[in-house]
Amino acid sequence: MLIGSFKNSLGEKNRIAFPKKFKDELGNNLIVTKGYENCLIIVDQSKFQMLLDSFKDIPFVNSNIRDTKRFLVGSAEEVELDKQGRFVVSSELKKFANLKSESIFLGLVDWVELWDYEVWSEKEEDLNKNSESISSKLSEIIQKRESK
């Protein structure tokens, strides 16, 4: 299961070590792409294929689908972990996520996010302040799904 957080440093050549716990589950061949709130999303190839398959039956004439594909698929990169479990973050993805030296990986069950540590700290503070509101929204979503 992809859970937990792991702080790490981005090296001079934009290399970062992927947490062993996540590597053991996802393997050495990963997809890295833009995520929401300026983080990066990391998945294995099978999870990425599931995302691609979810777009299959939706017409490309839908502008929301085109924009989602542009955002997630257009920025995706295949990476292979080296012998030390590291990968290179491209300059485009590094810029998008505003990655500096200190970074943090978050396991979110089905995917991993990579955040700049300062940006994540601000986001986490916001999540902590608004946890009650977040749980109410989640409860509404669950109730809607159950009523279908």
Side-chain angles (χ1 to χ4, degrees):
M1 187 180 310
L2 300 169
I3 59 173
S5 62
F6 300 88
K7 195 172 172 184
N8 216 329
S9 296
L10 189 67
E12 287 178 26
K13 298 177 183 178
N14 294 343
R15 279 190 302 208
I16 192 163
F18 196 58
K20 182 178 179 342
K21 179 180 180 183
F22 297 157
K23 177 184 178 266
D24 289 346
E25 185 149 342
L26 296 178
N28 289 319
N29 297 305
L30 306 171
I31 304 292
V32 181
T33 192
K34 289 179 181 176
Y36 300 100
E37 295 97 17
N38 292 88
C39 71
L40 300 180
I41 294 174
I42 304 168
V43 294
D44 64 14
Q45 292 178 349
S46 66
K47 279 279 189 237
F48 197 70
Q49 187 61 51
M50 287 173 57
L51 171 69
L52 297 177
D53 291 345
S54 71
F55 295 131
K56 199 181 331 181
D57 296 329
I58 304 172
F60 72 89
V61 295
N62 182 316
S63 65
N64 291 325
I65 293 300
R66 288 193 313 273
D67 285 344
T68 300
K69 280 183 163 181
R70 288 173 185 135
F71 183 74
L72 293 174
V73 181
S75 65
E77 298 180 5
E78 295 178 274
V79 299
E80 186 173 346
L81 301 180
D82 66 14
K83 290 178 184 179
Q84 287 82 33
R86 301 173 301 180
F87 68 95
V88 174
V89 179
S90 72
S91 57
E92 292 84 12
L93 291 177
K94 178 184 175 189
K95 180 179 177 183
F96 170 80
N98 195 29
L99 295 177
K100 297 178 198 82
S101 176
E102 293 298 311
S103 301
I104 189 164
F105 289 93
L106 301 174
L108 299 174
V109 182
D110 294 320
W111 71 90
V112 174
E113 291 181 345
L114 176 58
W115 290 78
D116 174 77
Y117 188 74
E118 277 184 39
V119 174
W120 168 248
S121 295
E122 290 173 19
K123 179 67 175 173
E124 184 178 35
E125 187 176 313
D126 183 57
L127 292 171
N128 290 338
K129 283 182 193 175
N130 296 300
S131 62
E132 189 173 327
S133 171
I134 292 167
S135 78
S136 293
K137 289 176 187 174
L138 180 59
S139 179
E140 289 174 23
I141 291 168
I142 291 170
Q143 287 176 349
K144 285 180 183 177
R145 286 179 110 189
E146 290 174 349
S147 67
K148 287 185 178 183

